[in-house]
């Protein structure tokens, strides 16, 4: 019986770890999405007027 209990505990532990990994992955993806910069903002041309100060 103890062999079966050890196997059940091991698989239960593995299931808990899998759930925790999935939760961590979802948190990271949610954070990354919140910090994402839209492509439109990264490719927009912004005039650089610094060179005019040298004149």
């Amino acid at each position: 019986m103890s062999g079966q209990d050890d196997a059940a505990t091991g698989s239960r532990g593995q299931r808990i770890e899998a759930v925790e990994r999935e939760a961590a992955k979802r948190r990271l993806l949610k954070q990354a999405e919140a910090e994402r910069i839209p492509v439109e903002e990264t490719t927009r041309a912004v005039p650089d007027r610094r060179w005019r100060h040298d004149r």
Side-chain angles (χ1 to χ4, degrees), residues 15-46:
R15 285 194 305 264
I16 290 170
E17 287 180 11
V19 168
E20 290 175 349
R21 274 195 305 273
E22 185 63 29
K25 185 168 92 173
R26 289 176 192 239
R27 282 193 305 271
L28 286 171
L29 288 172
K30 186 176 180 180
Q31 180 182 357
E33 181 63 26
E35 295 176 354
R36 185 179 71 84
I37 298 172
V39 172
E40 296 82 23
E41 292 183 19
T42 61
T43 57
R44 184 176 52 213
V46 178

